[in-house]
């Protein structure tokens, strides 16, 4: 790396074939890796860069979430995830992600009222559910219903208007618990429950999910605290696949509701947010502790595409700090529910112990991630496995919409349009049907 006269750092690329050189600026952030600004590379050299899966590519500048994968650090606007999980509430973290600072008491009260007052959905939206089969996967329902929100809230789809952007963000954060609870109610054939403005965000979600019109439903404070903490742990996570999907969709000017629906679709994959559902299925398939060596062998077998769900991460090459908090919460919830010997937890603890000592996992730095323990807690709380990723989407909506807002307000943002390394057929003449072999 060298410096220009004005003291800015640069790197120079030399084409060994032509001897041509191109010097590019190095940009430094407040913390974490610096970046090589390659925006002029193609014009200067005729080369694209090539980075499938974006393992070495920074897609944007952001001030929302910082991850140090080697140290297992996760900061939201500078605050460590374990401190937020211990001392904050999910609405407070939503305010932090959206606005960049922790709310004052007055701001917190005002924001709380906004979320409570926006939690109801348009009555017509309930009609969308009846178009689905009762056994439709709730994530399919979430993709459809959230995408449909743009048909109901035209007055907050002008992305150039900061007021409309703010209203859309509040509506999405406030309505996701209602929409998610309705997806669950629809799947079990129970009536939808309207939100209650006298309940907290997490209490309301548990009430709308597990309450019925037939009798009063008292939310267990330990469970609502655990739910709130689980929401905090899933709130945002830098430029992951679903957040990058939201940013790319938003870069074309698509409305925020459509962008969040795109994020939900991306999160659904088992390599991403769908992993919590896949972890539970894997633990159930393992069935007993003595089958773990076979499972670990399969996970290590290059010829077997089986992967240990809930393990590994593109960024974390250390323990996912969220998994640590999730593990503690898991024990708290099981204790509160009086679940003494949960076989799935025994299998998970033994699997974690074996995997963390196995050279394959140690060398590849594969540690438990946020999805490893969440499924056990959610199952203990009464959620069906099919709802696990829905809860992830519910919580991640604030991260998606905060990153979307940051992108829209970024003066250098433009439509995302990557290029490619083309390896297909070059130009060739058309062959009429009667001359084809
Ligand atoms: C989330 O990006 C985010 O921030 C996501 C997330 C968020 O909050 O948004 O943190 C949420 O998605 C967490 C991850 C949940 N997914 C899973 O638990 C599914 C199981 N994990 C793997 O599919 C995998 O670890 C990924 C997808 C998470 C990461 O894959 P990478 O970064 O592309 O790594 P890789 O596939 O290149 O793996 C590196 C090596 C490979 O071996 P080699 O080819 O080098 O020999 O590690 C192996 C992989 O085969 N490997 C695993 C493994 N994960 C990676 N081997 C067995 N079991 C695994 N789970």
């Amino acid at each position: 790396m060298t410096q220009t006269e004005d003291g800015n750092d640069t790197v120079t690329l030399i084409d060994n074939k032509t001897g041509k050189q191109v010097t590019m600026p190095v940009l430094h952030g407040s913390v974490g890796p610096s970046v090589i600004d390659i925006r002029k590379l193609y014009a200067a050299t005729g080369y694209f860069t090539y980075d499938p899966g974006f393992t070495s590519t920074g897609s944007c500048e952001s001030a929302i979430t910082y991850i140090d994968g080697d140290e297992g650090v996760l900061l939201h606007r500078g605050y460590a995830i374990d401190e937020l999980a211990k001392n904050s509430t999910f609405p407070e973290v939503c305010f932090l992600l959206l606005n960049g600072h922790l709310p004052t008491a007055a701001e917190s009260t005002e924001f709380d009222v906004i979320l409570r007052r926006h939690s109801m959905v348009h009555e017509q939206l309930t009609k969308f559910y009846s178009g689905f089969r009762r056994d439709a996967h709730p994530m399919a329902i979430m993709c459809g219903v959230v995408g449909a929100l743009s048909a109901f809230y035209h007055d907050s789809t002008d992305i150039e208007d900061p007021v409309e952007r703010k209203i859309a963000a509040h509506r999405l954060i406030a309505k996701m618990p209602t929409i998610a609870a309705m997806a669950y109610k629809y799947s079990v054939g129970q009536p939808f429950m309207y939100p209650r403005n006298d309940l907290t965000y997490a209490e309301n979600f548990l009430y709308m999910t597990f309450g019925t019109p037939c009798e009063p439903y008292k939310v267990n404070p330990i469970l609502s605290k655990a739910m709130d903490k689980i929401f905090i742990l899933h709130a945002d996570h830098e430029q992951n696949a679903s957040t990058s999907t939201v940013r790319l969709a938003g870069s074309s000017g698509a409305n925020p509701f459509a962008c969040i629906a795109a994020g939900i679709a991306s999160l659904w994959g088992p390599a991403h947010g769908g992993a919590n559902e896949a972890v539970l299925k894997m633990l159930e398939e393992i069935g007993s502790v003595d089958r773990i060596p076979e499972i670990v062998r399969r996970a290590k077998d290059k010829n077997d595409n089986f992967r240990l769900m809930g393990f590994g991460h593109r960024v974390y090459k250390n323990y996912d700090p969220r998994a640590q908090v999730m593990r503690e919460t898991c024990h708290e919830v099981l204790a509160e529910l009086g679940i003494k010997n949960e076989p799935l937890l025994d299998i998970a603890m033994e699997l974690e112990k074996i995997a963390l000592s196995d050279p394959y996992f140690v060398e590849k730095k594969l540690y438990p991630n946020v999805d490893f323990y969440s499924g056990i807690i959610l199952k203990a709380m009464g959620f069906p496995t099919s709802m696990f990723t829905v809860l992830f989407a519910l919580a991640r909506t604030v991260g998606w919409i905060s990153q979307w807002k940051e992108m829209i307000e970024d003066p250098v943002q433009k439509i995302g349009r990557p290029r490619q390394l083309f390896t297909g057929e070059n130009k060739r003449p058309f062959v009429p049907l009667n001359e084809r072999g």
Side-chain angles (χ1 to χ4, degrees), residues 296-339:
V296 171
R297 186 198 61 74
R298 281 193 59 201
K300 292 155 54 174
D301 180 357
K302 292 303 295 168
N303 302 317
D304 188 335
N305 61 12
F306 171 77
R307 288 203 165 171
L308 218 44
M309 290 289 115
F311 270 80
H313 197 278
R314 170 62 58 77
V315 178
Y316 288 122
K317 301 311 170 192
N318 199 323
Y319 217 98
D320 182 334
R322 301 168 297 175
Q324 306 261 27
V325 181
M326 202 65 89
R327 197 169 189 259
E328 290 153 22
T329 308
C330 190
H331 288 293
E332 285 163 15
V333 167
L334 294 184
E336 170 61 21
L337 295 173
I339 299 173

Side-chain angles (χ1 to χ4, degrees), residues 55 67 233-234 236-243 267 269-276 278-279 298-300 302 306-317 320 322 360-361 364-366 369-372 392 396 400:
T55 54
I67 303 171
L233 295 174
H234 288 84
D236 190 51
H237 211 241
E238 203 214 64
Q239 305 311 319
N240 57 82
S242 53
T243 297
L267 185 76
H272 190 13
N276 52 18
V279 166
R298 281 193 59 201
K300 292 155 54 174
K302 292 303 295 168
F306 171 77
R307 288 203 165 171
L308 218 44
M309 290 289 115
F311 270 80
H313 197 278
R314 170 62 58 77
V315 178
Y316 288 122
K317 301 311 170 192
D320 182 334
R322 301 168 297 175
Y360 173 92
F361 290 88
K364 293 181 186 296
K365 301 185 177 177
L366 301 175
N369 57 48
V370 67
D371 294 304
F372 188 63
F392 196 149
R396 184 55 58 90
W400 287 331

Side-chain angles (χ1 to χ4, degrees), residues 50-59 238-241 244 314-315 418:
Y50 182 63
D51 185 15
F54 309 121
T55 54
S56 306
T57 295
S59 63
E238 203 214 64
Q239 305 311 319
N240 57 82
S244 300
R314 170 62 58 77
V315 178

